Amino acid sequence: MQISWFRASLAVSAIVLAPLVRAADGPAWPGPAFPDLRTAGQVKLACDSGMRQAAAALRRLEAVAPSAGWIAQYDAFYAVTEDAHGPVEFIRHVHPDPKVRDAAEACELRWQDFLTRVGQNERLYRAARAAEPADDIDREALRQTIEAFEDSGVGLPPARRARARELANRISALGQQFDKTIRDSATRVAFTPAELVGVPASLWQGARRDAQGRVLLGLDYPSYYPVVEHAQSPAARERMWRAKMTEGGAANIKLLGEITRLRRDYARLFGFDSYADFMLRRRMARDTASAQRFLDDVQQAVRAGEQRDLAALREAKARHLDQPLEKTTLERWDVLFYTERLRKERFTVDEESFRPYFPPQESLQFVMRIAETMFGVRYTPVPARLWHPEAQAYAVSDAATGKPLAGLMVDLYPRDGKYGHAAVWSYRSGSTLTGRLPQAALVVNFDRKGLTIDELDTLLHEFGHALHANLSATRYALNAGTSTQQDFVEAPSQMLEDWVFDRPVLKLFAEVCPRCEPVPDELVEKARAAREFTKGSLTARQHLYAAYDLALHGPDAPEPMALWQRMEGATPLGHVRGTMFPAAFSHVAGGYGAGYYGYLWSLVVAMDLRTAFAGKRLDATVGRRYRDIVLGEGGQRPPQQLVHDFLGRDTSPKAFYDYLAR
């Protein structure tokens, strides 16, 4: 649990820099190059050097008297610390060498202790409280900084302050171990070729085999989804599904239980009954009761849709097996399979049919072209030696002026030991005051054969986070980009999700891939219609995750599996004995603890933001306003103000609930 202004992933160091060569006809990489961290020894040297730099910067800051310019001095310290910490923290999620990852994790624990001690620094806290803000931006930066100190325990009596530091460090170590268990797992599920009938042959024909000749497939998304969506064999689907639903295992359930109990103990040091109450007071929701009322409203809105969806899937299974409906039970490992069958029946659309239209590299260029069209920016590839030969670097510049804006690194494909989902690390924050340019890393795991339209949607979602980081134009680094309230941070990325189903938007694909056959308009319309199908059950599932997270971080900090069994057991499909979904629920074990409701909360805001682009998804005038008002302002103004300034009114949930009702 880091003090809140140090995000989960931070920035570039000044040690052992890998060469980033300026392209002959293009811009150079903006800012310092990503450090060369090829060995565990280099990581250790970077860690030692970075911590010395940060400690020296801290001593300099402690000597600064409170003044109107104190927050700028504090932000300079933030930047030094970010530069020293960030690449080592990030590299532990993506480096192919387990020794490098282990060294980075050891370094991260040292940083956690340092950052916790900074958060409990009384001299800095007193200076922050005494500093005079020059304007509203200073005032907001000081408010957030003071709150971060207070949430780290600076105001607690000495014994409780020491306990807060101990708890924060322990929670960080446990969360790291939780992620490591999942990331380093080498689980393979064995299938006979006969069991893989229906699964695209390109997935498994060249895969590894065991001594019995069975095909071995991992749990990465490019392997998992084709099996559970297309395997004709119920046994194969069940085996793959159960393997995924037990990922992390009993060890992670134990870790999650300890994490949530320690979080509750942490909150109680500050006089709060629960960790949820402690955290939500700093967010848009303001308190647990408000977040729960919101979730109750969502549940009411999706209940009928969920029941319709599941009834349709059950009927599809009965027809497929040619058996009476009353003798048909829909199992959880049936859901994706029969969803795909119904999509084909009702909409004659197959997700796999999109892969030839959306090659991975061209798909990346496509989402960049969307940003270039909407926001007036340019992406230029920059030769670089990064953590893996397939990782890429791009310089981001303003299209009109050529002014450098940011750097973006991208890692597209799955591999053992790599972070297994999709995420963006805002590892370097920008500052207009100092001319510091932001950098970010986008990490996904896509099939090399191409993307489905839903995966293209995922790519654009994550690219939305990268845009939020890269197009930030805040005065201070500590307010930059995604440093917003957590229940708003997903809104800018979710706003763009709908874009890939828009025919004029998809026409941009031809600009980046003239050789690619254009996806037929009819297929896109069918995909859009199919996307509406099961929105009730999908939203209901998100509601379950959010409600579980809030309950898990309630006053009693219940045992994770007992709570999950009870809550999932109360849903229409119930709980499957032996499965343990929370063992791989990294969001809740990590930075989204007591905050997963923010995905739905942000979606309400995102759908309202989309109304400004109605009928004009690529409108550069609206896009520039959005770039300046929402993305550019980062966290230096409250989210409610950003939305009001952009829309010209307070945000409304109407678009969200209209979507669920239609």
Side-chain angles (χ1 to χ4, degrees):
M1 177 180 175
Q2 297 169 344
I3 44 181
S4 61
W5 42 259
F6 279 94
R7 291 183 295 284
S9 304
L10 300 172
V12 142
S13 171
I15 45 86
V16 195
L17 299 180
L20 280 142
V21 183
R22 183 182 182 122
D25 57 349
W29 177 258
F34 195 81
D36 192 359
L37 300 173
R38 286 173 293 166
T39 69
Q42 287 175 316
V43 172
K44 176 66 164 56
L45 287 173
C47 190
D48 293 343
S49 172
M51 296 203 76
R52 286 195 298 270
Q53 294 172 34
L58 177 60
R59 289 192 294 272
R60 291 193 297 270
L61 180 62
E62 288 176 327
V64 174
S67 67
W70 184 88
I71 190 62
Q73 296 291 323
Y74 181 76
D75 194 59
F77 163 72
Y78 174 93
V80 169
T81 306
E82 193 182 52
D83 281 351
H85 173 206
V88 177
E89 198 285 329
F90 167 67
I91 209 72
R92 71 187 178 94
H93 299 280
V94 295
H95 204 284
D97 186 343
K99 293 180 180 178
V100 171
R101 297 197 300 270
D102 288 347
E105 287 171 348
C107 179
E108 176 61 18
L109 295 180
R110 294 173 62 191
W111 274 110
Q112 168 58 39
D113 184 65
F114 175 83
L115 297 178
T116 302
R117 290 176 183 274
V118 170
Q120 294 185 350
N121 188 304
E122 291 184 81
R123 184 177 299 178
L124 298 187
Y125 177 60
R126 288 194 300 269
R129 289 180 59 87
E132 290 292 331
D135 55 19
D136 286 344
I137 292 177
D138 276 16
R139 189 170 293 106
E140 181 68 10
L142 281 167
R143 180 190 66 79
Q144 293 178 23
T145 300
I146 290 167
E147 288 179 353
F149 279 121
E150 292 172 350
D151 289 354
S152 293
V154 70
L156 296 175
R160 280 196 285 165
R161 188 187 312 167
R163 177 59 175 161
R165 184 170 65 249
E166 177 187 354
L167 289 172
N169 290 344
R170 178 62 178 163
I171 290 167
S172 181
L174 294 172
Q176 186 183 103
Q177 182 59 46
F178 188 98
D179 287 343
K180 179 180 173 64
T181 300
I182 299 167
R183 190 188 63 239
D184 291 354
S185 171
T187 299
R188 294 291 185 272
V189 186
F191 301 96
T192 65
E195 289 179 313
L196 294 176
V197 170
V199 179
S202 57
L203 169 69
W204 58 269
Q205 282 185 337
R208 288 167 46 198
R209 307 268 179 140
D210 65 10
Q212 289 76 44
R214 294 177 301 177
V215 177
L216 299 176
L217 296 177
L219 300 181
D220 55 283
Y221 286 153
S223 300
Y224 172 76
Y225 279 110
V227 174
V228 295
E229 288 177 346
H230 300 288
Q232 291 290 330
S233 166
R237 297 197 304 270
E238 179 181 359
R239 196 154 67 252
M240 181 62 102
W241 180 84
R242 284 183 179 273
K244 191 69 172 175
M245 292 302 109
T246 53
E247 194 174 23
N252 267 11
I253 293 295
K254 183 178 179 181
L255 290 173
L256 183 59
E258 187 174 356
I259 288 169
T260 53
R261 288 190 297 273
L262 294 180
R263 284 172 173 166
R264 178 200 56 191
D265 293 348
Y266 190 93
R268 287 182 175 175
L269 291 174
F270 297 82
F272 290 88
D273 289 334
S274 73
Y275 185 70
D277 287 339
F278 175 73
M279 294 300 289
L280 267 64
R281 80 196 198 282
R282 305 297 195 198
R283 296 177 182 162
M284 292 178 75
R286 296 300 181 194
D287 54 56
T288 307
S290 297
Q292 189 60 59
R293 282 194 298 271
F294 164 69
L295 291 179
D296 291 345
D297 290 344
V298 172
Q299 184 178 41
Q300 182 63 32
V302 302
R303 182 175 287 125
E306 179 186 25
Q307 292 171 346
R308 283 195 304 270
D309 292 347
L310 297 179
L313 295 175
R314 183 166 168 251
E315 290 169 3
K317 182 177 181 179
R319 288 196 311 273
H320 179 225
L321 300 181
D322 193 22
Q323 65 186 30
L325 182 62
E326 61 272 15
K327 293 185 178 180
T328 302
T329 300
L330 185 71
E331 306 289 358
R332 288 202 175 273
W333 53 87
D334 291 330
V335 170
L336 291 176
F337 178 77
Y338 286 104
T339 296
E340 285 303 303
R341 282 186 67 90
L342 276 182
R343 282 176 172 166
K344 292 176 185 177
E345 287 179 13
R346 294 185 178 186
F347 311 106
T348 61
V349 62
D350 179 358
E351 275 288 303
E352 291 296 312
S353 67
F354 283 97
R355 294 197 190 280
Y357 298 107
F358 302 137
Q361 185 62 39
E362 288 77 4
S363 295
L364 174 63
Q365 293 169 336
F366 165 66
V367 298
M368 289 178 173
R369 183 57 55 88
I370 293 175
E372 289 175 342
T373 304
M374 291 179 65
F375 306 125
V377 297
R378 288 288 179 268
Y379 290 85
T380 306
V382 178
R385 187 173 68 205
L386 301 174
W387 56 90
H388 189 273
E390 292 183 318
Q392 308 169 46
Y394 292 85
V396 189
S397 58
D398 183 79
T401 65
K403 177 184 176 183
L405 296 176
L408 176 65
M409 301 187 298
V410 182
D411 194 340
L412 286 176
Y413 304 112
R415 60 181 176 269
D416 288 345
K418 178 187 170 185
Y419 178 82
H421 301 284
V424 168
W425 276 262
S426 304
Y427 66 90
R428 178 180 172 86
S429 304
S431 164
T432 59
L433 183 67
T434 62
R436 179 182 172 86
L437 298 180
Q439 297 174 3
L442 186 156
V443 177
V444 289
N445 292 274
F446 288 137
D447 192 320
R448 294 175 186 272
K449 299 188 303 296
L451 280 60
T452 68
I453 197 165
D454 284 345
E455 290 168 346
L456 190 63
D457 203 24
T458 297
L459 177 59
L460 189 53
H461 170 102
E462 296 304 334
F463 200 76
H465 286 306
L467 285 166
H468 203 178
N470 283 168
L471 301 186
S472 173
T474 58
R475 179 183 299 167
Y476 300 121
L478 64 90
N479 293 138
T482 54
S483 297
T484 67
Q485 289 176 320
Q486 195 184 55
D487 42 12
F488 177 76
V489 75
E490 295 292 333
S493 53
Q494 289 177 320
M495 192 207 77
L496 291 171
E497 287 179 0
D498 197 45
W499 263 235
V500 301
F501 294 89
D502 186 87
R503 284 182 292 176
V505 173
L506 282 174
K507 298 300 182 189
L508 294 178
F509 216 100
E511 297 182 11
V512 300
C513 187
R515 66 174 178 79
C516 294
E517 183 180 350
V519 58
D521 289 347
E522 180 184 7
L523 188 58
V524 176
E525 288 306 308
K526 289 176 179 178
R528 172 179 283 281
R531 187 171 183 250
E532 297 285 308
F533 175 59
T534 69
K535 66 184 176 185
S537 54
L538 291 174
T539 306
R541 192 69 176 172
Q542 285 295 305
H543 170 272
L544 173 63
Y545 297 156
Y548 172 76
D549 174 42
L550 279 186
L552 188 66
H553 290 97
D556 54 347
E559 195 280 322
M561 270 311 302
L563 177 66
W564 178 253
Q565 288 169 359
R566 177 172 62 80
M567 295 185 72
E568 189 180 39
T571 65
L573 291 183
H575 172 72
V576 178
R577 185 183 298 273
T579 61
M580 49 185 75
F581 169 81
F585 202 171
S586 294
H587 285 77
V588 170
Y592 274 77
Y596 198 86
Y597 77 92
Y599 276 95
L600 285 171
W601 188 285
S602 292
L603 183 58
V604 174
V605 179
M607 287 190 169
D608 200 25
L609 290 171
R610 286 179 199 167
T611 62
F613 292 91
K616 45 188 176 182
R617 296 286 173 82
L618 297 174
D619 189 304
T621 301
V622 179
R624 182 64 201 220
R625 289 184 56 249
Y626 181 78
R627 170 183 161 182
D628 293 341
I629 295 173
V630 179
L631 302 179
E633 291 286 348
Q636 70 182 6
R637 301 188 193 279
Q640 296 91 332
Q641 181 181 343
L642 301 184
V643 175
H644 185 278
D645 290 349
F646 178 63
L647 294 177
R649 57 169 172 78
D650 289 340
T651 189
S652 165
K654 183 178 186 301
F656 174 74
Y657 287 111
D658 284 352
Y659 163 76
L660 292 179
R662 67 172 183 255

